[in-house]
Amino acid sequence: MRAVLVRVALVGVVTLAGGGCRRDMQDAPRYDPYEVSTFFKDGRASRHLVAGTVARGQLHEDAAIYTGKSADGFVSALPFPLTHAVLDRGHERYDIYCSPCHDRVGTGAGMIVQRGYKPPPSLHEERLRKLPLGYFFDVMTNGFGVMPGYAPQVPEDDRWAIAAYIRALQRSQHASVDDVPPADRGALDAPAPGAPSGVKEAGHGAS
Amino acid sequence: MPQVFHRSTNTFSRVSIFGALFFIAAATYGLALINRSAYVTQAGVARAQPIQFSHRHHAGELGIDCRYCHTSVERTASAGVPPTQTCMNCHAQIWVDSPVLEPVRASYRTDTSIRWTRVHDLPDYVYFDHSIHVQKGVGCATCHGRVDQMNLTWQESSLQMEWCLDCHRNPERYVRPRAEVFDMAWEPPANQLDLGRELMRTYKIQRLTDCYTCHR
C-alpha cells in the first residue's frame, strides 16, 4: 500500500514538473531575424560575419567587378554583356535607390534634395559624361562627398546595371538625329505624346 | 396520484430545450466573432515605437520606394528592417537637430540597434517567405494595406490561417502584374478575375493549400 502511494506521488510530481516546462509552439526556441538576443552582449540575434569570412562563390578574385578599378584606373566596360534586360534592371534600381536625390532624369533635383539635402551635380554635366563606367560604380560602392556608399543596399550586379542606365540617361539628354535608326526617323516628326493637341491628357500621376 | 408539475410548466420545458440550442449557437458565434476581432488579432492597432517613424511621410509624401529600406524583400524570407545607416543616408543632413530623431543618432553614434516594436509576428510554426509572394505578383498593399497612408504602422490583416487560405485557394482574386507589386495605389481592374487567371498561367501560380506549404 505504501509503495503504491509513493508511485502515485512520483507520477504526480513528474507530471507537475513536466507541466512547468511548457513551451508555446508559436514561440519556438530559435531566433527570428532581428530578434533580441539575451545571449550576445549587444543584444542582436542577427550577427555580423566574422571579419575575413569568405562565403562560397564570393572570393571576389576579379577586383575590377567589385571595385570598378583595374591597374589602369577605372574600367570603362561592363563586366557582363549589355542587354535590354540589364538596362531595364538598371532603370528600376536607379528609380529606387538613386532618384530620391538625383531625380528620375539625373538632374539632381530629387525629393530629398528639395527637402534640404546638398544637391548633387547633374549627371549630364560635361565632366560626368566623360567619366568611365567604373567611376560611377566606385561612387555607388564607396560614396562620394556627402553621398553615402550604397554597397549595403545594392548588390554589385545591380550597381553595374545602374551605371549602364546612367550612361543611357546621359546619352538621352545629348542625342542627335544620327542616334535614331534611319527606319524610325519618320516618327520624329510625329507630335510628341502629351504635346498640346487639343486632346485632354489622361492624368495618372499620384495626386 | 396527483401530478407533480402543473400543466403550464410544459411551456417552460419546451422553451428551455429550444433555448439551450439557441444559447449554444449564440455562444459559438460570439466566440468566433471574438476570435476574429482586433482585440485578438491586433489588426488595425497602431503600435507604439521608440521613434515616431511615419511610413505615410516617407513612402507616401516623399515617394521613397519600399525597397529603398526593405532591401531584401525580393530575395529572402524577411523583407529586411533597415539598419540605422539607411536612416542616416538622408538624416545625416536632414532634420539633424530634431529631438524626435535623437534615438536614431544615438544608435548610429554608439553602434547599438534601435529596438523597434514588431508589428507583424506570425507564429513560429508558419514558414512565410516574402520573396516568393513578391515574385508571384502579390502586392505589398494586398497584405499590408495602404502603409503609405499610415503614420504609426499597424497590421492591416488578421494574419489568421483563414485569411492566408482565402488567397491560397483563390489567387486569381488578388494577384497583380509584377511591375505593379510595389505600387501602393494600384487598384484591381474590373476584369480582375480574367487578369488573375492569366497571371496564374504566366507566373505558374498554383493553388497551394497543402498543410506542408506553410507548416513544415
Side-chain angles (χ1 to χ4, degrees):
Chain A
M1 187 63 205
R2 196 180 163 82
V4 171
L5 273 179
V6 168
R7 274 181 208 170
V8 167
L10 260 179
V11 169
V13 166
V14 168
T15 308
L16 284 174
C21 296
R22 176 169 178 269
R23 175 172 283 281
D24 289 328
M25 280 179 70
Q26 69 261 28
D27 189 16
R30 63 165 167 82
Y31 286 127
D32 289 344
Y34 310 107
E35 194 170 334
V36 173
S37 164
T38 50
F39 180 78
F40 297 104
K41 256 187 208 154
D42 60 7
R44 295 166 180 165
S46 302
R47 310 301 303 162
H48 285 297
L49 293 179
V50 175
T53 305
V54 178
R56 193 179 175 87
Q58 292 182 7
L59 183 53
H60 297 188
E61 279 174 298
D62 187 347
I65 297 177
Y66 300 98
T67 62
K69 292 176 206 165
S70 64
D72 315 323
F74 293 116
V75 297
S76 55
L78 280 180
F80 43 77
L82 177 65
T83 62
H84 210 289
V86 168
L87 274 184
D88 285 344
R89 177 78 179 176
H91 183 179
E92 183 188 60
R93 299 293 124 170
Y94 175 93
D95 284 354
I96 298 169
Y97 297 104
C98 314
S99 72
C101 288
H102 291 275
D103 79 41
R104 293 208 166 189
V105 289
T107 56
M111 182 56 96
I112 305 306
V113 171
Q114 294 172 36
R115 289 302 184 117
Y117 209 87
K118 189 185 172 198
S122 165
L123 294 173
H124 307 299
E125 278 182 9
E126 188 68 17
R127 177 180 67 87
L128 290 172
R129 284 171 57 215
K130 288 185 174 149
L131 287 167
L133 278 190
Y135 173 83
F136 296 98
F137 181 89
D138 177 60
V139 170
M140 279 181 250
T141 307
N142 300 312
F144 183 89
V146 296
M147 174 179 157
Y150 274 79
Q153 280 159 279
V154 190
E156 286 87 18
D157 47 353
D158 281 347
R159 270 175 271 152
W160 281 114
I162 291 172
Y165 179 68
I166 289 175
R167 185 104 305 160
L169 271 183
Q170 291 174 329
R171 291 197 61 177
S172 76
Q173 301 297 306
H174 293 84
S176 67
V177 176
D178 296 335
D179 293 325
V180 184
D184 293 333
R185 282 182 198 166
L188 293 176
D189 296 325
S197 61
V199 181
K200 196 165 183 285
E201 194 191 353
H204 55 85
S207 55
Chain B
M1 183 179 155
Q3 295 205 340
V4 179
F5 296 106
H6 187 260
R7 283 183 72 85
S8 68
T9 55
N10 287 354
T11 310
F12 283 114
S13 68
R14 282 194 201 100
V15 166
S16 61
I17 288 169
F18 171 77
L21 286 175
F22 180 80
F23 178 80
I24 291 167
T28 309
Y29 183 69
L31 282 173
L33 278 188
I34 291 172
N35 194 38
R36 286 166 176 76
S37 67
Y39 176 76
V40 171
T41 65
Q42 292 290 296
V45 180
R47 307 290 202 283
Q49 298 286 358
I51 300 151
Q52 290 177 311
F53 175 83
S54 167
H55 277 100
R56 181 195 181 97
H57 177 63
H58 290 85
E61 291 160 9
L62 298 180
I64 297 171
D65 193 282
C66 310
R67 292 164 286 185
Y68 185 91
C69 301
H70 304 292
T71 53
S72 59
V73 72
E74 294 167 297
R75 288 179 284 120
T76 66
S78 163
V81 175
T84 306
Q85 169 63 55
T86 305
C87 310
M88 296 302 283
N89 279 356
C90 296
H91 288 294
Q93 288 207 17
I94 293 179
W95 276 40
V96 287
D97 300 322
S98 163
V100 174
L101 291 178
E102 178 51 28
V104 178
R105 293 189 293 268
S107 160
Y108 191 67
R109 275 197 307 271
T110 58
D111 190 28
T112 48
S113 300
I114 300 169
R115 294 203 177 181
W116 299 102
T117 304
R118 189 163 186 181
V119 178
H120 298 79
D121 193 5
L122 285 174
D124 282 0
Y125 47 76
V126 178
Y127 289 80
F128 175 81
D129 192 314
H130 273 97
S131 65
I132 189 65
H133 289 84
V134 168
Q135 296 304 326
K136 297 287 183 183
V138 180
C140 306
T142 303
C143 301
H144 292 292
R146 292 301 298 272
V147 176
D148 62 324
Q149 295 176 356
M150 298 179 189
N151 280 320
L152 282 178
T153 310
W154 63 80
Q155 167 191 318
E156 180 78 5
S157 312
S158 75
L159 303 190
Q160 285 173 328
M161 195 166 108
E162 63 177 10
W163 171 79
C164 302
L165 278 173
D166 180 35
C167 186
H168 274 234
R169 284 183 181 130
N170 312 294
E172 68 273 14
R173 289 188 201 157
Y174 300 100
V175 290
R176 56 175 82 181
R178 275 185 196 133
E180 313 292 345
V181 164
F182 295 93
D183 180 356
M184 299 304 285
W186 189 85
E187 292 283 348
N191 62 340
Q192 168 65 33
L193 289 181
D194 297 331
L195 173 73
R197 287 192 197 102
E198 177 62 33
L199 291 175
M200 282 180 71
R201 276 189 294 277
T202 317
Y203 299 162
K204 299 184 171 61
I205 299 172
Q206 308 164 52
R207 296 176 201 277
L208 293 175
T209 51
D210 291 309
C211 305
Y212 60 77
T213 301
C214 311
H215 306 292
R216 38 191 160 158

